[in-house]
Amino acid sequence: MKPFHSEILSTLFTQLHNQPFRIILSNSLILKQQSLNNNNSINNSINIQNIQIRPIQIKNQLKYQFSILNKNNQIFHENKNEINLFDLILKNKFQQILFKLENKDIQFILKFKKENIFYKLIEILNKNKINLNHNREKNYLIKENINIPFLVDLNIIHPTSFKVLQNKFNKFKQINHFLDIFNETINFNKNLNIFDFGCGKSYLTFSIIYFLKEIKNLNNFNIFGIDLKKDMIDFCNDLVKKYNLQNNVQFIHENISKFNYQHYNNTLQNGDNIVISLHACNTATDMVIEKAVDMNAKYILCVPCCQHELFNQIKDNDKTNINYNILKHGIFKEKFNSLLTDSIRCLILEILGYKCNVIEFIDDEHTPKNILIKAQKMEESMITKEKKEELIKEYLQLKNTYQIKPYLERLIEKYL
């Protein structure tokens, strides 16, 4: 083994100039966490497993992100202006230093002997070039930095540079996440009738139109956007005219509860009905589900929010309830109420012959992380009488446990 000194690292860093890399420091002889600087939030003498370092761009400035994993598998992140790698190695006596580059790995195996350090060098070539960039381009269905007119009109991208606006990037990611789910769920070989309830400014509606027309090259669809806000409906219908979409798209000023899809039979395609809804508040989501069931929708994709309905029905002072110690705390009760509400929605849909999956949906700038209910109507032959009776028994047991009567049950009684 050869003597190890700071110049070796300095020479290596010179070679790394202007290329992405990642450094992993591990196998410390001194497990006590050392401070990275005086303001270090993790300077609390906790044991560490490893430290990972990589360059990142923040507001066009080069920084180095330190990710520190402690023995409790907690990760702390800090961004630094520079890397004092040799000092970090000395303080923690790391015995392994791994440099991950795009085309090869460089590993130092260190041995500490009194005041001296010795090393062995191992280089491994990567057959496939890997991308270590922090800000690498995501594989979005709707791409960044290209001219997409509806995104300009909806103030998602800049009208000349076509870059996603900073305050709209979460919305841009949300749109793409929804399209990923839509793409993997729907059978595009059939004609599609898509109903967006509570469409608002219709980010999702126009995204689906773009996806179907420009990415899938399809025209076998009709889309209906339904919302109670007339100004939003007028705005969206103006865009329909602007983009000459009248043959496929219409926006309707109507309350969800009063909407009747049969009024539009003359424009419906002979195919699958699809119901989508993003953040229909409280029982509005139940109304959306009832409309989907009424039209025998093949697919339901809805993201509920503000699940308040059952909150006051759930008794939080019953000490015989197995969940008493959860429900007696208001914030826990609120979270539990949301989970219970959406669990009941899924269970009712299963009773009605749908296969349900629950997916964590990406957050937007105003809404915390939430869930998407994905339901697909099963073939009649797959819905046995015994299975349906079992599901009804589970539902009644859940109702009796919490002494509740969900609004959705009252809406769909006629379909049972």
Side-chain angles (χ1 to χ4, degrees):
M1 300 183 80
K2 301 177 182 178
F4 184 75
H5 46 80
S6 60
E7 287 76 12
I8 295 173
L9 296 177
S10 300
T11 302
L12 180 56
F13 268 107
T14 302
Q15 299 172 4
L16 296 180
H17 183 64
N18 288 334
Q19 69 167 299
F21 63 85
R22 186 171 299 166
I23 305 170
I24 302 173
L25 308 175
S26 60
N27 197 12
S28 172
L29 288 177
I30 302 175
L31 293 179
K32 292 293 182 180
Q33 171 71 20
Q34 298 293 328
S35 173
L36 296 176
N37 59 40
N38 292 332
N39 297 319
N40 192 343
S41 61
I42 57 172
N43 183 22
N44 54 4
S45 297
I46 55 176
N47 295 336
I48 60 171
Q49 294 187 46
N50 65 53
I51 298 177
Q52 296 195 31
I53 306 167
R54 62 177 176 177
I56 59 175
Q57 288 285 338
I58 299 179
K59 295 181 179 179
N60 295 321
Q61 290 186 339
L62 178 64
K63 301 280 187 179
Y64 297 97
Q65 183 185 78
F66 285 66
S67 300
I68 297 142
L69 176 68
N70 70 14
K71 69 174 184 179
N72 297 320
N73 290 322
Q74 297 171 307
I75 298 178
F76 302 88
H77 297 288
E78 294 195 13
N79 297 328
K80 301 287 183 179
N81 293 321
E82 59 182 14
I83 306 174
N84 295 317
L85 191 59
F86 191 73
D87 290 343
L88 200 57
I89 292 169
L90 289 179
K91 288 178 180 179
N92 293 274
K93 290 192 175 180
F94 287 113
Q95 297 177 97
Q96 293 186 23
I97 300 94
L98 176 63
F99 287 80
K100 294 191 72 67
L101 312 180
E102 286 186 316
N103 57 356
K104 66 179 177 180
D105 292 348
I106 301 175
Q107 184 176 29
F108 291 90
I109 306 297
L110 303 185
K111 191 167 185 179
F112 293 81
K113 289 188 175 181
K114 296 183 179 179
E115 301 299 321
N116 299 315
I117 308 174
F118 300 90
Y119 78 96
K120 177 181 178 182
L121 182 64
I122 302 172
E123 289 194 25
I124 302 173
L125 293 177
N126 296 321
K127 293 181 180 179
N128 299 315
K129 186 176 179 180
I130 59 173
N131 189 347
L132 295 172
N133 280 312
H134 175 70
N135 298 313
R136 57 187 178 270
E137 184 178 349
K138 303 294 183 181
N139 188 26
Y140 293 128
L141 285 170
I142 296 182
K143 304 298 183 184
E144 300 178 64
N145 304 322
I146 61 174
N147 183 10
I148 302 176
F150 87 88
L151 289 181
V152 174
D153 287 323
L154 295 177
N155 295 316
I156 299 291
I157 64 174
H158 192 274
T160 55
S161 70
F162 311 126
K163 290 183 178 297
V164 179
L165 300 177
Q166 185 175 3
N167 65 337
K168 293 293 185 179
F169 202 82
N170 283 333
K171 176 62 71 176
F172 180 77
K173 291 194 295 183
Q174 182 191 70
I175 288 169
N176 274 287
H177 188 200
F178 184 89
L179 288 179
D180 284 337
I181 297 168
F182 188 83
N183 186 36
E184 69 185 20
T185 303
I186 308 303
N187 178 1
F188 297 103
N189 293 322
K190 292 190 175 183
N191 296 330
L192 306 175
N193 301 304
I194 303 167
F195 299 83
D196 185 356
F197 287 99
C199 59
K201 207 171 180 180
S202 300
Y203 296 102
L204 290 188
T205 321
F206 284 107
S207 300
I208 290 172
I209 295 166
Y210 178 85
F211 170 74
L212 293 174
K213 278 185 168 290
E214 305 299 328
I215 298 176
K216 286 289 189 180
N217 294 315
L218 298 175
N219 201 45
N220 60 334
F221 66 89
N222 282 324
I223 294 187
F224 303 84
I226 302 99
D227 201 278
L228 196 56
K229 296 179 181 177
K230 190 174 186 305
D231 57 336
M232 291 288 97
I233 293 299
D234 291 342
F235 170 79
C236 293
N237 277 324
D238 287 342
L239 291 184
V240 169
K241 295 176 184 176
K242 179 178 179 179
Y243 301 137
N244 194 27
L245 297 169
Q246 294 93 325
N247 291 334
N248 298 95
V249 185
Q250 56 181 304
F251 289 92
I252 303 158
H253 178 224
E254 185 62 274
N255 190 307
I256 295 174
S257 63
K258 295 180 180 179
F259 177 79
N260 187 342
Y261 78 99
Q262 293 179 344
H263 291 167
Y264 304 90
N265 277 343
N266 60 326
T267 57
L268 293 178
Q269 306 249 12
N270 183 21
D272 288 339
N273 292 335
I274 302 168
V275 167
I276 67 172
S277 177
L278 179 63
H279 299 145
C281 190
N282 199 17
T283 55
T285 293
D286 300 308
M287 296 177 197
V288 171
I289 292 173
E290 189 274 332
K291 294 301 175 185
V293 172
D294 184 51
M295 67 176 70
N296 196 32
K298 180 67 175 178
Y299 307 99
I300 305 171
L301 298 173
C302 66
V303 181
C305 79
C306 307
Q307 299 94 327
H308 299 313
E309 185 226 347
L310 297 181
F311 187 85
N312 291 326
Q313 294 186 42
I314 299 173
K315 294 183 178 180
D316 52 23
N317 57 357
D318 182 3
K319 292 187 177 181
T320 63
N321 190 314
I322 191 172
N323 293 313
Y324 167 73
N325 284 304
I326 295 175
L327 299 176
K328 70 179 182 180
H329 300 288
I331 190 169
F332 290 161
K333 182 182 176 183
E334 183 177 356
K335 292 179 182 296
F336 183 86
N337 164 70
S338 295
L339 294 172
L340 180 62
T341 300
D342 291 329
S343 297
I344 285 172
R345 286 166 174 162
C346 289
L347 188 49
I348 288 176
L349 281 168
E350 289 173 344
I351 291 171
L352 293 169
Y354 284 85
K355 179 182 179 181
C356 289
N357 289 306
V358 178
I359 304 168
E360 186 175 56
F361 192 62
I362 196 168
D363 58 323
D364 68 18
E365 60 222 89
H366 302 300
T367 307
K369 281 189 175 180
N370 41 39
I371 61 100
L372 180 144
I373 297 174
K374 181 172 78 169
Q376 181 173 344
K377 185 75 171 179
M378 295 188 294
E379 299 296 330
E380 289 291 335
S381 59
M382 299 177 63
I383 308 168
T384 64
K385 181 181 177 181
E386 292 77 12
K387 181 61 177 177
K388 186 172 182 177
E389 289 176 350
E390 180 185 341
L391 290 170
I392 291 174
K393 183 178 179 180
E394 290 176 9
Y395 173 71
L396 293 175
Q397 184 177 358
L398 196 60
K399 267 185 61 178
N400 292 334
T401 299
Y402 298 101
Q403 300 179 40
I404 53 174
K405 186 165 186 182
Y407 179 62
L408 181 57
E409 178 189 335
R410 301 197 289 274
L411 288 178
I412 57 88
E413 279 178 336
K414 58 186 176 184
Y415 305 105
L416 292 175

